Amino acid sequence: DAKTTQPPSMDCAEGRAANLPCNHSTISGNEYVYWYRQIHSQGPQYIIHGLKNNETNEMASLIITEDRKSSTLILPHATLRDTAVYYCIGLRDRAGSYQLTFGKGTKLSVIP
Amino acid sequence: DSGVTQTPKHLITATGQRVTLRCSPRSGDLSVYWYQQSLDQGLQFLIQYYNGEERAKGNILERFSAQQFPDLHSELNLSSLELGDSALYFCASSVEQGGYGYTFGSGTRLTVV
């Protein structure tokens, strides 16, 4: 699975869009980009995933560059409850089993 | 409530002891994963079961073992506990082997004294 690189921390003003970058320059053609977040010591929560196209759901948008070497998770209107560690994970779609491998993530602090 | 139930929520035990952590997956999910999160190590994958069979092993110590029962609930057994085993232990489940998105439980906080 691709190695991902994320900034260790970011701040975002409440109500503004939070844009969290992720570099995955070694990603292969059949690897998905997954985003999870962990609020304090709760269990990680799935946010969104994508392969090539941009994706949007009720929580966030995922923008993947055309060369797929990087992506950005966008929280359109950040709230204090979005303060969490955000993990970008590359995951190959392969038969059999595959497991999420968590890195250090980005600690997002939403500031009032 | 994510649908993944972990018990107990908190556990305090002494070194050398043995404990069992329990996980009930979300209804319909066949895969169960165990993760360990300690302060200095982050989230570490331990082991995965799919429909009762072990599918993958990660950084799981020999003192640790797990199983998944016919009703799909899973137990993680930790024995000869050491101070360094103090951590949050998370269980996650998914529909398929890996599936699209895991659902995590709220974890069991183990403290070894």
Side-chain angles (χ1 to χ4, degrees):
Chain A
D1 297 323
K3 185 178 184 308
T4 60
T5 304
Q6 299 177 253
S9 64
M10 290 182 64
D11 291 340
C12 177
E14 188 178 16
R16 304 296 296 268
N19 296 285
L20 293 93
C22 178
N23 182 288
H24 33 78
S25 57
T26 61
I27 199 167
S28 60
N30 62 352
E31 283 188 88
Y32 288 79
V33 179
Y34 277 77
W35 283 84
Y36 279 76
R37 72 179 181 183
Q38 186 175 24
I39 298 172
H40 194 39
S41 295
Q42 297 177 22
Q45 177 189 24
Y46 166 80
I47 302 173
I48 199 167
H49 76 281
L51 184 62
K52 295 181 188 176
N53 301 319
N54 298 337
E55 302 287 344
T56 295
N57 63 20
E58 65 278 4
M59 288 183 68
S61 294
L62 175 60
I63 308 297
I64 303 174
T65 57
E66 196 168 336
D67 62 7
R68 301 210 328 121
K69 292 184 184 304
S70 66
S71 60
T72 301
L73 178 74
I74 301 172
L75 308 178
H77 306 286
T79 70
L80 299 179
R81 286 179 293 182
D82 292 322
T83 292
V85 178
Y86 287 77
Y87 298 98
C88 169
I89 302 165
L91 189 64
R92 191 175 313 143
D93 181 12
R94 56 180 177 263
S97 66
Y98 39 103
Q99 312 84 35
L100 294 172
T101 301
F102 291 85
K104 295 188 183 301
T106 295
K107 184 176 172 62
L108 174 69
S109 298
V110 180
I111 301 166
Chain B
D1 181 9
S2 68
V4 178
T5 304
Q6 290 189 247
T7 56
K9 291 194 184 308
H10 302 277
L11 198 49
I12 301 175
T13 190
T15 54
Q17 294 299 304
R18 172 189 169 96
V19 297
T20 297
L21 312 184
R22 182 187 168 102
C23 170
S24 294
R26 203 176 50 164
S27 178
D29 287 357
L30 299 179
S31 263
V32 169
Y33 310 78
W34 286 96
Y35 283 80
Q36 179 192 54
Q37 186 172 35
S38 52
L39 278 175
D40 56 348
Q41 291 292 326
L43 275 156
Q44 299 286 316
F45 167 70
L46 295 178
I47 197 164
Q48 179 206 356
Y49 279 84
Y50 175 77
N51 203 20
E53 292 186 10
E54 181 186 304
R55 282 301 184 183
K57 267 187 176 180
N59 302 320
I60 188 166
L61 300 172
E62 286 191 10
R63 300 183 286 108
F64 295 1
S65 65
Q67 54 185 326
Q68 186 179 27
F69 295 86
D71 67 353
L72 300 177
H73 91 271
S74 178
E75 293 180 356
L76 179 66
N77 301 296
L78 315 176
S79 61
S80 303
L81 285 167
E82 303 174 359
L83 296 177
D85 297 327
S86 295
L88 270 168
Y89 290 84
F90 289 106
C91 166
S93 71
S94 68
V95 174
E96 301 172 354
Q97 298 187 58
Y100 291 110
Y102 291 13
T103 301
F104 281 82
S106 56
T108 293
R109 182 176 292 279
L110 173 67
T111 303
V112 183
V113 298

